[in-house]
Amino acid sequence: MHLRCVNCNRRYEIDEVVYSCNCGGLLEVVIDLDKVKNVFDGRDITLWKYRSFLPVDERVSLREGGTPIYKLSDGVYLKNEGANPTGSFKDRGMTVGVSKAVELGMRKVICASTGNTAASLAAYSAKAGMKCYVLVPSGKVAVGKLSQAIIHGANIVQIKGNFDDALNIVLKASREIGAYILNSVNPFRLEGQKTAAFEIYDQLRFVPDAVILPVGNGGNISAIWKGFKEMEEAGIINKLPKMVGIQAEGASPLVRMFKEGGDFRPFERPETVATAIRIGNPVNWTKAIKAVRESNGLLESVTDDEILEAQEELASVHGIFVEPASAASLAGFKKLRKAGAIRRDEKVVLVATGHGLKDPDAVLRRSRPIISVNADANELIKILEEQRKPEH
Ligand code: F0G
């Protein structure tokens, strides 16, 4: 087991504290796949079931993974990552990343975040007894996520700028502060996140034609792709899915690159109601583009209105409450299916990345006024009857 640069293949030792190659390339963990165990039996699913695929021992866990998969309609499934301990898929990454921090003897951890990474790191570092710093874009973090970071005791700093500014500061200041970075530039975090691929196969007992998920920094799409490729290399599956990434229109630099070609160019002023993916300069863009191209996949953007409509549909038709960024999966799927880019006979898994309670304001801001009556049964009946009358 070692670290490898995805650009130049340079090798680094597994216990080096290093986040990128000297050439500037991103790093990935290379697992000894001849030593992995085929534990895929559709039973007893938790993330640590797949420990032979993971580069650390289980040291800090809140029982992450094992999230439900729902059938929305024929051939359309939803993997609900909001069911993780802090309500997002980040917990898969943090259990592995913080376990690695313990192994390295780190006392402090740090991240920049649009909210979920902060909430997750705050919880796992609390359990590990580590000091935690989180940098968030001022005024742009959903209230549920912020309250999680506060109650778990993180040191929170609001940056007068966006997520990309906050991450830049983390990358520059972590060494001075003496803190281990747990953003998705950390390859160990992505190792945890790749287990979503293992679970999708374990639960469905087949490999879907496409996996569709929201893309911000591009870490998760590359992690899940790595998970599928490792299962294939280990001889457990013999087919790979297309990886389909969805960005919000106002923060869609990867979609632009994919559709228009040319060099990668960031969005200077990313904007979207889906604050989780309000990212203009995805740090993992090379890995994300590679996952999409290698898998013969797609990148597509959706509007804020399409996102909010999909969020409402998931909640009011299927009973599943997800945060806006997560609803981008369904919004993108509907758009691609309408355009014929995903066929009706293709089996797809939509990944819902975070729980709806993370961002209650996104619902309350657009809800109709709630009726209020005196504590009187007759008054209630009268008002409900009036509501039933056809409007003139
Ligand atoms: N969905 C949700 C709910 C997220 O919180 C994020 C990222 C993504 C999707 C995108 O994942 O970055 O791996 O492409 N949230 C980060 C955070 C940026 O700070 O919580 P990605």
Side-chain angles (χ1 to χ4, degrees), residues 87-156:
S88 84
F89 71 98
K90 305 287 179 176
D91 297 341
R92 291 183 188 276
M94 287 308 171
T95 184
V96 172
V98 174
S99 292
K100 182 69 190 177
V102 171
E103 287 185 3
L104 291 169
M106 294 287 169
R107 308 287 315 141
K108 299 178 190 169
V109 287
I110 189 168
C111 72
S113 179
T114 56
N116 281 325
T117 297
S120 186
L121 183 57
Y124 283 83
S125 59
K127 176 132 195 198
M130 286 179 187
K131 204 164 174 149
C132 173
Y133 299 90
V134 305
L135 273 59
V136 296
S138 187
K140 291 290 181 183
V141 177
V143 64
K145 305 174 189 182
L146 200 55
S147 58
Q148 287 178 289
I150 293 168
I151 197 72
H152 289 304
N155 298 288
I156 306 167

Side-chain angles (χ1 to χ4, degrees), residues 89-90 112-117 163 214-220 276-277 279 323 325-326 353-354:
F89 71 98
K90 305 287 179 176
S113 179
T114 56
N116 281 325
T117 297
F163 169 83
V215 169
N217 273 312
N220 207 31
I277 51 172
I279 293 170
E323 68 167 284
S326 304
T353 43

